Every structure is written in structure tokens, then in C-alpha cells.
């Protein structure tokens, strides 16, 4: 039986660009799927198709047990969506924004006011509740936007890179809110470029590149595919790089990368702290002095270098429009 979010063979093209090339997803009820990918991979297009903002060219999808193409209005009543850009009216106060959303969902005025007050407290916005939104910081707008998506407590939520550009405090606050939602039974599809975010929130991760799901598994499973851990060494003398590379090659489970300008060498390994001690001893025997050495888990770049052959681009807040130019596509049209 399909999960709360289900997609099979989604295809979407914009001119000559194939933004989605047969995306398959299945998210069990009450879980979080992290959709991980670089800019232009197809994450946002997938979300737009699943939330009825775009009609896929081919494929089928169900959300909350409803066919996205056949019953778009019912789907919209069953979901919440927090996009990449805060969709709030800057001339209304935070309280007025939330009350307006409640009334658009045909909540009675008293109920909308009560729900707005509850969400303002949950998102630490009570002190700013009666200020116009144009005076809010970026982090406050993002929190208000997420609060607006939760006015009707939807069973299924979509969050499209919700923490891009947020400071650590606001990011942690949003993570805590997400955990509370899921513990209450909400199903969530979360797009992100941050493996750390997926580590904290996602039960499962789907890696998307060029409009295709190229890998799926838990965070630990994906990291294991890249070699599990990394030994990083910064040698003191540039002339020791070649010898250090030779030493690391004897312990590594993949290619050793070298950053000449920083004198840093990195190699994927398995074996943990015990292996690190062996590497240190061998470097010492070979007379190589080090400024730094350590063992770390793979990063997002490690995962993408392993799976796609290129590193993920850092988020720039411009979105994920796959028109091949980096510019915004034509206006979204609801299904």
C-alpha cells in the first residue's frame, strides 16, 4: 500500500530541460523523507508537482491517499507547504497573517485567533506578534511562514529548504518544531542541501541529481557508500605531500584528495580511532611533521562526490528552478 506521499515515474520538462526524469518516492505515514540534492537537481520541481502547483508531464502521485491529478482541491486541504521564500504579507502583522490564513481555511474568527496565538508562542514570535511583518528579520519571516503552513495542522507537510540562510539558533528552533510535528503523526517531505539537517530530521534520504533519484537510504547508509569516515592530514612541509599521500593510500578505501594550497590530504577509510592511531604512527615513522590530523564523518560534498562525481553547490537562496539558466521559470500553474 502506498505511503502518505507516493510518486511513480514523475517526468517534467521545461523546454529542452528535463527537470524530472522518472522520480519515484514512497514516504510512510508519520515519517520524514529528506530529499537531498544540489541546486537544479529537481527537488523543488518534485515538491511543486506533489503539491499541485505543477502538472507533471508523465507519472502519477498520491498524497494523503488522494490522487494529485484527479483530486487537487482535496490534496490542498490535506497538506501544508513551506516554500523556499517566506510567503507572508509584509504589511500585515504576524498575528494578522496567521488569522488570515485560518479564515481562508474557513475557520471561525475565534478559532483562527486562538490558533494564531498558539502558533506565535510555539515559534517564539509572541513579542513581535503585533508588528508589521516588514520589520521582521529573515529568520522571523521563515518561522512565521512555517507557522502559517501549520494553521490547520495538516497530516502531510512539505518543506522546501526551510533553513537556508538561517542562523544556528533559528535553524535549531525549526528542527525542534519539525520533531514535534512528526512525533504527533505528521508525514514530512523535506528538501535540503545540508546532510547535517537530514541527519537530525530524516528517517530516510533520497538523493536526487539531474531529475533522478540516484540513491536512497538512511544517513548512515549513504555515508557508508562514501567510505564511512575520512582521515584528514595537514602536513607542515609542502615537500612531504607526496610521501604523506603514499602513506594514506596504504590505509584508504578510495582515492586520496590533495589541496596543495592548504597542504591538506583526505582519504576515505574504515576502522575508526584505531586506524587513525596507525596512520599517525606510520607518518611519524616516515618523518612527516603534521600541523593537524583528524577523523571525521563524510560531509555532503563527500556523498555527492561519491554518487555523482561532483560536489553539491551551497544554497544561495535563489531556488531550484531547472530551466538551465539559473533564472526563474514561467509562473507556476496549479493542477
Amino acid at each position: 500500500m502506498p505511503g502518505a506521499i507516493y510518486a511513480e515515474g514523475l517526468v517534467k520538462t521545461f523546454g529542452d530541460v528535463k527537470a524530472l526524469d522518472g522520480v519515484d518516492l514512497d514516504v510512510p505515514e508519520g515519517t520524514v523523507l529528506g530529499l537531498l540534492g544540489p541546486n537544479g537537481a529537481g527537488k523543488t520541481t518534485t515538491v511543486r508537482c506533489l503539491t499541485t502547483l505543477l502538472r507533471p508531464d508523465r507519472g502519477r502521485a498520491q498524497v494523503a491517499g488522494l490522487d494529485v491529478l484527479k483530486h487537487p482541491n482535496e490534496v490542498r486541504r490535506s497538506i501544508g507547504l513551506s516554500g523556499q521564500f517566506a510567503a507572508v504579507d509584509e504589511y500585515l502583522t504576524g498575528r494578522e497573517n496567521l488569522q488570515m490564513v485560518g479564515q481562508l481555511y474557513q475557520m471561525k474568527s475565534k478559532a483562527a485567533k486562538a490558533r494564531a496565538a498558539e502558533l506565535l508562542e510555539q515559534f517564539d514570535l509572541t513579542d513581535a506578534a503585533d508588528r508589521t511583518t516588514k520589520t521582521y528579520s529573515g529568520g522571523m519571516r521563515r518561522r512565521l511562514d512555517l507557522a502559517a503552513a501549520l494553521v490547520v495542522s495538516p497530516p502531510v507537510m512539505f518543506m522546501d529548504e526551510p533553513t537556508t540562510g538561517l542562523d544556528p539558533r533559528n535553524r535549531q528552533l525549526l528542527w525542534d518544531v519539525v520533531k514535534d510535528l512528526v512525533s504527533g503523526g505528521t508525514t514530512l517531505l523535506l528538501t535540503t542541501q545540508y546532510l547535517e539537517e537530514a541527519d537530525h530530521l530524516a528517517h530516510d534520504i533520497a538523493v536526487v541529481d539531474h531529475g533522478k533519484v540516484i540513491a536512497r537510504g538512511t544517513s548512515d547508509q549513504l555515508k557508508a557508500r562514501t567510505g564511512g569516515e575520512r582521515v584528514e592530514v595537514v602536513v607542515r612541509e609542502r615537500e612531504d605531500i607526496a610521501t604523506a599521500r603514499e602513506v594514506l593510500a596504504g590505509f584508504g578505501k578510495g582515492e586520496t584528495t590533495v589541496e596543495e594550497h592548504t597542504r591538506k590530504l583526505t582519504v576515505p577509510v574504515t576502522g575508526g580511532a584505531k586506524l587513525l592511531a596507525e596512520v599517525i604512527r606510520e607518518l611519524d615513522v616516515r618523518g612527516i611533521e603534521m600541523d593537524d590530523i583528524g577523523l571525521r564523518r563524510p560531509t555532503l560534498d563527500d556523498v555527492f562526490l561519491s554518487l555523482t562525481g561532483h560536489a553539491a553547490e551551497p544554497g544561495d537562496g535563489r531556488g531550484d528552478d531547472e530551466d538551465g539558466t539559473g533564472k526563474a521559470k514561467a509562473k507556476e500553474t496549479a493542477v
Side-chain angles (χ1 to χ4, degrees):
M1 182 176 178
I5 303 172
Y6 177 79
E8 182 180 340
L10 290 184
V11 174
K12 183 65 183 177
T13 58
F14 299 99
D16 296 330
V17 177
K18 184 170 283 189
L20 300 182
D21 192 13
V23 168
D24 298 323
L25 297 173
D26 194 353
V27 189
E29 186 176 345
T31 67
V32 180
L33 175 69
L35 202 59
L36 199 66
N39 288 336
K43 305 185 302 297
T44 295
T45 301
T46 299
V47 169
R48 288 171 176 162
C49 287
L50 291 171
T51 57
T52 78
L53 293 174
L54 286 175
R55 177 181 288 271
D57 300 328
R58 292 199 303 276
R60 64 190 187 97
Q62 291 183 358
V63 174
L66 299 165
D67 189 292
V68 171
L69 295 176
K70 294 179 180 178
H71 306 290
N73 290 332
E74 289 84 351
V75 169
R76 292 174 198 138
R77 284 193 286 266
S78 301
I79 65 174
L81 170 62
S82 178
Q84 290 184 2
F85 304 99
V88 295
D89 189 325
E90 65 177 13
Y91 293 102
L92 297 179
T93 66
R95 192 185 307 277
E96 289 168 341
N97 265 284
L98 298 182
Q99 289 177 187
M100 178 184 67
V101 172
Q103 291 172 338
L104 289 172
Y105 275 100
Q106 300 182 342
M107 295 175 67
K108 292 184 178 180
S109 179
K110 184 176 181 180
K113 289 180 180 179
R115 182 60 175 156
E118 179 183 339
L119 288 167
L120 288 166
E121 182 176 358
Q122 181 180 4
F123 284 87
D124 194 22
L125 291 169
T126 302
D127 289 345
D130 298 310
R131 284 167 39 195
T132 55
T133 308
K134 65 182 178 181
T135 68
Y136 284 18
S137 67
M140 293 168 70
R141 290 189 182 208
R142 292 298 287 153
R143 279 149 46 202
L144 183 63
D145 182 66
L146 181 54
L150 299 174
V151 166
V152 294
S153 301
V156 178
M157 273 289 299
F158 294 86
M159 296 185 185
D160 192 8
E161 300 194 15
T163 63
T164 296
L166 292 188
D167 59 58
R169 177 183 175 275
N170 281 311
R171 182 171 294 159
Q172 184 62 57
L173 177 61
L174 284 182
W175 287 355
D176 291 342
V177 169
V178 168
K179 290 175 182 177
D180 288 342
L181 285 173
V182 177
S183 65
T186 300
T187 304
L188 173 63
L189 189 150
L190 169 78
T191 78
T192 181
Q193 298 189 62
Y194 304 126
L195 189 56
E196 180 190 11
E197 189 156 88
D199 271 335
H200 276 78
L201 301 176
H203 298 90
D204 207 11
I205 298 171
V207 180
V208 181
D209 196 29
H210 297 296
K212 296 181 180 180
V213 176
I214 61 172
R216 180 158 182 174
T218 66
S219 178
D220 286 340
Q221 288 169 340
L222 292 177
K223 289 176 182 179
R225 291 182 61 169
T226 69
E229 297 167 313
R230 296 290 188 274
V231 168
E232 285 187 346
V233 181
V234 178
V235 298
R236 179 162 300 174
E237 304 297 336
R238 195 173 302 277
E239 55 266 27
D240 286 333
I241 289 178
T243 304
R245 186 171 191 168
E246 180 183 333
V247 171
L248 293 180
F251 293 96
K253 300 297 181 182
E255 183 179 354
T256 302
T257 59
V258 179
E259 297 178 12
E260 293 280 352
H261 63 292
T262 60
R263 308 182 309 284
K264 183 171 76 173
L265 300 90
T266 306
V267 65
V269 299
T270 56
K274 182 178 179 181
L275 180 133
L276 179 62
E278 294 174 4
V279 172
I280 293 172
R281 281 195 295 269
E282 183 62 23
L283 290 170
D284 186 57
V285 167
R286 301 288 287 270
I288 298 173
E289 295 186 63
M290 297 166 285
D291 284 341
D292 192 20
I293 186 167
L295 185 71
R296 64 167 175 80
R297 303 188 76 189
T299 64
L300 175 62
D301 276 350
D302 296 326
V303 172
F304 272 89
L305 283 169
S306 174
L307 294 175
T308 71
H310 64 83
E313 300 172 11
D316 58 10
R318 292 176 301 173
D320 189 36
D321 296 325
E322 293 87 14
D323 65 351
T325 68
K327 299 178 181 178
K329 296 187 296 288
K331 283 186 178 180
E332 298 165 345
T333 54
V335 172

